[in-house]
Amino acid sequence: MSRDYAPPGCKVYIGGLDRNTTKADVEHFFRDFGKISSIWVARNPPGFGFVTFEDPYDAKDACKELDRADLNGNRVTVEVSHGRGRGGGGGRGGGGGFGRGYGSRSRSRSRDRRDRRRRDRSYDRDRRRSDDRGRRRDDDDYDRRRRRRDDDEEDRDRDRRRRRDDDEDEKSRDVDDRKDDDRDDRDREEDKRDREYRDDRDDDKPDDREDRDDREEPRDDRE
């Protein structure tokens, strides 16, 4: 098998490369999409290259995910190549087989352009659907975060109201306790005054009897 030969749909064109991009850079760029059988990077003129996958589905996935992606500061073009490789004059989207006439090449280019337009439309639809799904996911995530924030705010409000009610209850209890203490103090003071008054009355009673006795004695003498 020639090194320029690739099964249909396995060769990927990558354009818009920086002139200093290496094969290792390209290999790292495509590393997540399947097993690569060959990489070729143009040097004269620079700016493009080809990557050959072993599986055409890997090549298709790489084109879908990496087209217009950034590589070494450049936004590159990635698409399936339908040419015959370097030896056959093929390239990004063209045909150009060996020994064919101009009309055959023109028809091949026309078919390739139609195929590319269909692929581009299909890819655009897939991208729009993916973007729509991404936007819906973003909207759903935003709604979930907003609901979570609202729930958290309600929880905080409930906690604040509970703490405020507890503080008011504690203040009310403190006021009631102070009132009870004041009432007890007044009652004790009144009891004390009552006891003192009774004691004073008890102390005055014997003196009154003695005075009465003294007043009565002279009366008996006169008689």
Side-chain angles (χ1 to χ4, degrees):
M1 180 183 294
S2 170
R3 68 176 184 176
D4 293 331
Y5 172 79
C10 290
K11 180 176 283 190
V12 173
Y13 166 84
I14 178 169
L17 296 176
D18 181 78
R19 64 173 52 249
N20 296 320
T21 300
T22 64
K23 291 175 63 175
D25 296 331
V26 175
E27 182 177 7
H28 183 75
F29 185 64
F30 286 95
R31 68 189 183 280
D32 295 329
F33 293 92
K35 192 171 182 180
I36 296 173
S37 59
S38 67
I39 298 174
W40 181 80
V41 178
R43 291 301 175 200
N44 188 21
F48 69 97
F50 293 95
V51 177
T52 303
F53 287 88
E54 292 188 356
D55 190 329
Y57 292 103
D58 294 338
K60 183 179 179 181
D61 291 340
C63 293
K64 184 179 293 186
E65 296 294 332
L66 296 180
D67 186 35
R68 311 306 297 166
D70 183 83
L71 175 58
N72 291 346
N74 285 13
R75 191 178 295 276
V76 297
T77 300
V78 180
E79 60 186 29
V80 175
S81 173
H82 295 276
R84 299 229 1 181
R86 299 191 302 275
R92 175 176 176 177
F98 291 101
R100 294 180 180 179
Y102 175 78
S104 176
R105 289 197 298 273
S106 176
R107 287 191 297 272
S108 177
R109 292 192 188 99
S110 178
R111 284 194 299 271
D112 288 341
R113 283 194 294 270
R114 287 195 300 270
D115 291 341
R116 192 183 310 119
R117 283 195 295 271
R118 283 195 294 270
R119 287 195 304 274
D120 290 342
R121 286 194 295 270
S122 176
Y123 174 67
D124 290 340
R125 284 194 300 270
D126 292 340
R127 174 171 285 183
R128 285 195 298 272
R129 291 182 188 131
S130 177
D131 292 341
D132 291 340
R133 286 193 295 269
R135 282 193 293 271
R136 285 196 296 272
R137 283 195 298 270
D138 292 340
D139 293 340
D140 292 340
D141 291 340
Y142 173 75
D143 290 338
R144 282 194 295 272
R145 288 194 298 270
R146 186 176 59 187
R147 286 194 298 270
R148 191 178 300 114
R149 285 196 301 269
D150 293 340
D151 293 340
D152 292 341
E153 185 63 28
E154 289 180 0
D155 291 338
R156 286 192 292 270
D157 289 339
R158 282 195 295 269
D159 291 338
R160 285 193 291 267
R161 288 194 297 270
R162 188 180 302 111
R163 287 195 297 270
R164 187 170 58 248
D165 293 339
D166 291 340
D167 292 339
E168 291 178 356
D169 290 340
E170 185 175 359
K171 290 178 181 179
S172 178
R173 286 194 298 271
D174 290 341
V175 170
D176 292 338
D177 290 340
R178 284 196 296 272
K179 288 181 180 179
D180 292 338
D181 292 340
D182 293 340
R183 189 179 303 109
D184 292 338
D185 291 340
R186 286 195 302 271
D187 291 340
R188 283 194 296 270
E189 186 67 29
E190 290 178 0
D191 290 340
K192 182 179 178 181
R193 287 196 298 269
D194 289 341
R195 285 195 302 270
E196 290 176 353
Y197 177 72
R198 286 194 300 269
D199 291 340
D200 291 340
R201 288 185 59 188
D202 292 339
D203 290 340
D204 291 340
K205 284 181 181 180
D207 294 337
D208 292 340
R209 285 197 298 273
E210 290 177 0
D211 291 339
R212 283 199 304 274
D213 293 340
D214 292 339
R215 285 195 300 274
E216 289 176 357
E217 286 178 0
R219 186 183 304 165
D220 294 338
D221 292 339
R222 286 195 301 273
E223 292 177 354

